[in-house]
Amino acid sequence: MRRIVRLLLLLLYLTGSVPSAHATTIGVVLPGSSLLFYQVMLRGIRQSAHDQHVDLLIRSPSDGESLNTPNIQLHIIDYLVTQGVSGVLLAPEPLRSDTQVSIPVPVVLVDRANTDYDSVSTVYTDNFGAGGKAALSLIPVLKRGAKVAMLRLAPNVSSTTARESGFLSVARREGWNVVIDTYVGYRPHDAEVLIAEAINAYPDHLDAIFAPAEPIAYGALRVIESTPTDQRPRLVVFDWRPEFLDGLKRGIVHAAILQDPYRMGYLALAALARTLRGHPPPREIFVDVTTVTPKNMNDPAIRSLLANYAR
């Protein structure tokens, strides 16, 4: 009798009468995969997919390709839709201004907002506020008239632009002089070269530097650690790499502003899964940042957050 039941269940499964454990597939498109930030975000997405009992179809361009090849993410989304995904989780890159976007499945944005897409929810950092927090970490050690450098990523990336604006709003309020304000790009090696050129070209002493994204922060760290100790500006980095912990211990990094990409990815996937089940999430879900300094880097809560970045 049991054998007959098993054979009947198998027949029902093969004919589609019994749903599989993972009947829903969600497409995931990020800007790239080499940055640790997106690797950690993807871990959160995968864990959330497991908990929500959905499958994933992940297709992302190589890092920076979205900025060099307009609308490549949109082409990837079109492919995912033809493969039958029920929804799309997207960390959006800029589109051409004349592009008409129509996605026939629900879209949840993660990491940054984007008005090109009609999304049901956006899960991200308050980047303007986070840039302000980066500047606030310097208030105890900088006087009015301090000379600071702003190392920018790219003009068409909304998240980093907001961070830069948030930092500058506090810098101007405090009366600091922004003596370097330049774009250095999103490729770590290229950024390092441009950062070195910008710093070496400035004839006076810099008091502080703000590096608002992982590739810039890594490049800035490498440049600053090669500078004589008594000439080093205070470096505030955004995002995280294991090298930054050593920088904090050695006094090269003044502070690190950490997003929580694991939580962002987890919440974004969960929001999309709930949408597909008829329970729309809030239009915006903000995930707080944490300021890490040499004084608090060993606190249990900080250590727990940094554990998500372990390779």
Side-chain angles (χ1 to χ4, degrees):
M1 183 66 178
R2 290 181 180 177
R3 183 179 179 184
I4 294 174
V5 170
R6 286 197 298 267
L7 288 173
L8 180 59
L9 287 173
L10 178 60
L11 178 61
L12 290 172
Y13 178 81
L14 292 174
T15 58
S17 300
V18 175
S20 64
H22 298 281
T24 300
T25 299
I26 290 175
V28 178
V29 185
L30 304 181
S33 58
S34 69
L35 291 181
L36 184 56
F37 178 85
Y38 289 117
Q39 293 173 19
V40 175
M41 179 177 286
L42 194 53
R43 292 177 203 159
I45 292 170
R46 291 186 188 278
Q47 182 60 54
S48 187
H50 176 271
D51 294 346
Q52 295 292 328
H53 306 293
V54 298
D55 284 332
L56 297 176
L57 182 56
I58 302 168
R59 294 291 186 273
S60 299
S62 60
D63 294 71
E65 190 175 357
S66 298
L67 299 177
N68 294 327
T69 308
N71 300 352
I72 189 171
Q73 282 189 323
L74 193 55
H75 297 317
I76 293 173
I77 292 171
D78 288 341
Y79 163 78
L80 294 176
V81 171
T82 65
Q83 297 302 302
V85 298
S86 301
V88 173
L89 178 58
L90 171 67
E93 293 282 56
L95 297 176
R96 283 199 302 252
S97 59
D98 60 347
T99 301
Q100 297 295 318
V101 178
S102 178
I103 310 298
V105 296
V107 176
V108 166
L109 303 182
V110 65
D111 182 36
R112 62 192 72 164
N114 188 301
T115 57
D116 292 325
Y117 296 91
D118 183 18
S119 60
V120 297
S121 183
T122 302
V123 182
Y124 62 139
T125 295
D126 172 8
N127 283 290
F128 185 89
K133 282 189 176 182
L136 290 174
S137 74
L138 290 164
I139 287 180
V141 295
L142 293 188
K143 299 179 180 178
R144 191 173 188 84
K147 300 176 178 65
V148 301
M150 166 66 69
L151 304 175
R152 296 178 182 264
L153 184 79
N156 55 353
V157 178
S158 61
S159 54
T160 51
T161 298
R163 289 171 212 160
E164 294 153 8
S165 298
F167 182 92
L168 289 175
S169 70
V170 175
R172 291 171 182 137
R173 186 190 72 199
E174 295 298 314
W176 304 338
N177 293 327
V178 182
V179 295
I180 296 175
D181 189 343
T182 186
Y183 289 100
V184 297
Y186 50 84
R187 301 185 188 280
H189 176 72
D190 295 343
E192 182 180 341
V193 172
L194 293 175
I195 291 166
E197 290 177 355
I199 292 175
N200 292 335
Y202 182 67
D204 203 352
H205 173 71
L206 278 173
D207 295 300
I209 293 175
F210 178 45
E214 180 187 335
I216 303 174
Y218 181 63
L221 174 62
R222 288 177 58 84
V223 171
I224 298 305
E225 66 184 357
S226 66
T227 304
T229 304
D230 60 345
Q231 298 177 23
R232 290 173 179 167
R234 292 179 171 87
L235 175 62
V236 178
V237 300
F238 204 97
D239 293 331
W240 187 255
R241 292 179 62 92
E243 295 88 347
F244 298 165
L245 182 60
D246 181 63
L248 285 164
K249 291 177 180 177
R250 295 165 58 197
I252 301 173
V253 175
H254 172 75
I257 310 301
L258 265 67
Q259 298 184 91
D260 192 341
Y262 184 95
R263 182 168 173 77
M264 275 195 278
Y266 190 97
L267 292 178
L269 191 286
L272 185 49
R274 288 197 300 271
T275 297
L276 297 175
R277 293 169 185 148
H279 304 288
R283 292 287 297 175
E284 292 184 315
I285 300 174
F286 287 106
V287 177
D288 289 338
V289 297
T290 300
T291 301
V292 183
T293 68
K295 291 184 178 180
N296 70 4
M297 64 183 182
N298 291 316
D299 290 355
I302 299 294
R303 286 292 188 180
S304 177
L305 179 59
L306 295 181
N308 286 331
Y309 285 88
R311 293 184 184 275

